[in-house]
Amino acid sequence: MTDEPPPWQPPWVRAAKAGWPVASSVLVAVAQLAGTGAAARHQGGRLPLDALGYLLLLLGPVLLLFRQRRPVAVVVGTTVVTVAYLLAGYPYGPVFLSLVVAFCAAVKRGHRRAAWACAGAFYAAHLLISFAVPQDWLRGPAAQPNGWQELGIAAWLLLVMAVAEILRFRAERMEAVRAAAEQARRRRADEERLRMARELHDILAHSISLIHVQAGVALELLDTRPEQARTALTTIKAASKEALGEVRQVLGTLRGPDAAAPRSPAPGLDRLDELAEQARQAGLAVSVHSRGRARSLPAGLDLTAFRIVQEALTNVIRHSAARSADVLLDWSGEGLAVRIDDPGPAGAGEPGGSGSGLIGMRERVAAAGGTLEAEPRPDGGFRVLARLPIRGGGPQDSTGGGPR
């Protein structure tokens, strides 16, 4: 069985498949050959096209094939070819099309001086051919000097260069817009990755710290007090289940557009009682106080406040010898102040917890437009104070988030 030959396709279709530089060069060659041949019928004073004339008409489009890699060489070459064509006395016509494309390509790629210099050289050569070159140097009959014609050519050159500059400016603007859009896309992606990293850190750090403490308790009591060890293992199971659910909720932001939305809401201040109970099971007594009239919070701000308390309590469990902590929600100002006090003294690690935890809290607070203070207390403990602005929050109803 022999392979069938590919179906015949017009030259311009094959050129288009080869790429825009090839396709446009073929179109320019066709326009110059056909247009000049048609214009030659109405120019009796010029020499008819011969082999050299057709060669010059094709040489310009051939040079245009390299205009993306060698724009300066192409604009110089097309200028020389066009001047040679006029000096040979061949008919006027679309022979200038190659020159126009070369000017635009050079200007678009930043070689403006070369393009303007070639435009000036071409006009000077045309003036010399019309007014200064001796008759015996020309292959054809000399044309009568015409000042209006030279003014028209000068205006045409200025128009071509103006169009080239406009195309350059438009290309630069489009490139700037694309670069800004790409930078914005990368910034959004970085912010999203950072947000997810904070979420995962807050969830896993708290839950794993709780599991670590309860696992140690279970190991110590497994032989002597199995019932208490069972309680510790039950706490581990509940903490791991809750952490798994929250991790799935965070990772749900990566789901496709057709995936189901998370069924459980994001945690907020209404779950502080659960957080305090988890800390109590890890051996940390947490007291939660509220000052002022509580107000409803936007979902993002509610989650930020909850994560700050969660991370601060996790740091107390992991890095402090204290077995108690105080949480204060101060609604008396224009915003919400969240304060967590660790009475100390410091245990393993540095007071106040890990650097990554504090960095995560600062990033959350900064994203919400607030401020965070995290510093040792004079009595040897550690205090975390976050001030969060509330925009548009009203009095809290019976179903809203926040402490009760």
Side-chain angles (χ1 to χ4, degrees), residues 143-200:
Q144 294 296 326
N146 189 335
W148 291 107
Q149 180 183 8
E150 300 304 326
L151 289 177
I153 293 177
W156 172 79
L157 280 174
L158 290 176
L159 178 62
V160 169
M161 298 306 297
V163 171
E165 293 289 349
I166 292 173
L167 292 177
R168 176 192 62 83
F169 177 77
R170 180 175 178 272
E172 291 179 352
R173 290 292 300 172
M174 292 178 63
E175 183 62 28
V177 170
R178 282 194 295 266
E182 178 64 18
Q183 184 178 6
R185 185 193 66 79
R186 292 181 179 179
R187 184 174 64 253
R188 289 193 299 268
D190 292 340
E191 292 175 352
E192 183 64 16
R193 283 194 296 268
L194 183 60
R195 186 189 68 81
M196 293 183 62
R198 288 197 301 260
E199 286 290 319
L200 291 175

Side-chain angles (χ1 to χ4, degrees), residues 34-392:
T36 306
R41 302 190 186 101
H42 308 285
Q43 300 181 39
R46 310 292 293 182
L47 289 180
L49 288 172
D50 53 14
L52 178 61
Y54 284 112
L55 178 62
L56 293 175
L57 287 176
L58 289 175
L59 189 56
V62 170
L63 290 174
L64 293 180
L65 293 172
F66 308 97
R67 65 183 182 273
Q68 293 185 342
R69 290 180 294 177
R70 299 288 187 270
V72 175
V74 169
V75 73
V76 172
T78 52
T79 302
V80 172
V81 169
T82 307
V83 170
Y85 178 90
L86 296 179
L87 189 62
Y90 293 118
Y92 287 95
V95 63
F96 304 108
L97 191 55
S98 296
L99 198 60
V100 172
V101 176
F103 284 157
C104 293
V107 171
K108 183 178 179 181
R109 283 161 180 79
H111 301 283
R112 303 171 61 195
R113 291 183 179 178
W116 280 96
C118 288
F122 172 79
Y123 186 65
H126 194 276
L127 288 176
L128 291 175
I129 294 173
S130 300
F131 295 100
V133 175
Q135 171 64 31
D136 54 356
W137 289 17
L138 300 176
R139 296 178 66 231
Q144 294 296 326
N146 189 335
W148 291 107
Q149 180 183 8
E150 300 304 326
L151 289 177
I153 293 177
W156 172 79
L157 280 174
L158 290 176
L159 178 62
V160 169
M161 298 306 297
V163 171
E165 293 289 349
I166 292 173
L167 292 177
R168 176 192 62 83
F169 177 77
R170 180 175 178 272
E172 291 179 352
R173 290 292 300 172
M174 292 178 63
E175 183 62 28
V177 170
R178 282 194 295 266
E182 178 64 18
Q183 184 178 6
R185 185 193 66 79
R186 292 181 179 179
R187 184 174 64 253
R188 289 193 299 268
D190 292 340
E191 292 175 352
E192 183 64 16
R193 283 194 296 268
L194 183 60
R195 186 189 68 81
M196 293 183 62
R198 288 197 301 260
E199 286 290 319
L200 291 175
H201 174 272
D202 293 345
I203 294 169
L204 296 179
H206 174 75
S207 300
I208 292 176
S209 298
L210 181 60
I211 291 172
H212 174 73
V213 172
Q214 292 298 322
V217 173
L219 287 175
E220 292 181 2
L221 301 178
L222 186 60
D223 296 329
T224 59
R225 301 176 184 176
E227 290 301 324
Q228 295 185 12
R230 180 184 298 274
T231 303
L233 292 175
T234 302
T235 303
I236 291 175
K237 180 180 179 181
S240 60
K241 180 180 179 180
E242 180 179 358
L244 181 60
E246 293 193 9
V247 169
R248 286 176 176 173
Q249 184 177 1
V250 172
L251 296 180
T253 58
L254 298 178
R255 68 187 188 276
D258 298 330
R263 296 182 179 180
S264 58
L269 292 179
D270 58 338
R271 293 181 55 183
L272 279 186
D273 293 340
E274 299 179 23
L275 191 61
E277 177 61 23
Q278 292 176 0
R280 186 192 65 78
Q281 293 174 357
L284 181 67
V286 179
S287 58
V288 181
H289 307 281
S290 181
R291 180 187 301 164
R293 187 179 182 184
R295 284 167 282 175
S296 60
L297 297 177
L301 191 61
D302 200 16
L303 175 62
T304 297
F306 177 84
R307 293 300 187 203
I308 291 171
V309 177
Q310 185 183 50
E311 176 62 25
L313 294 181
T314 299
N315 289 338
V316 175
I317 295 174
R318 296 174 59 190
H319 302 284
S320 175
R323 294 299 88 197
S324 64
D326 294 325
V327 178
L328 174 63
L329 303 178
D330 190 353
W331 304 85
S332 57
E334 296 182 356
L336 169 63
V338 181
R339 192 182 74 191
I340 302 93
D341 284 310
D342 165 19
E350 295 296 328
S354 62
S356 60
L358 290 178
I359 292 175
M361 283 193 286
R362 293 186 190 279
E363 290 173 348
R364 282 186 178 277
V365 174
T371 59
L372 179 73
E373 300 175 8
E375 56 188 7
R377 301 195 317 178
D379 56 2
F382 200 87
R383 169 172 291 176
V384 174
L385 175 60
R387 294 183 174 88
L388 304 174
I390 302 177
R391 300 179 180 88

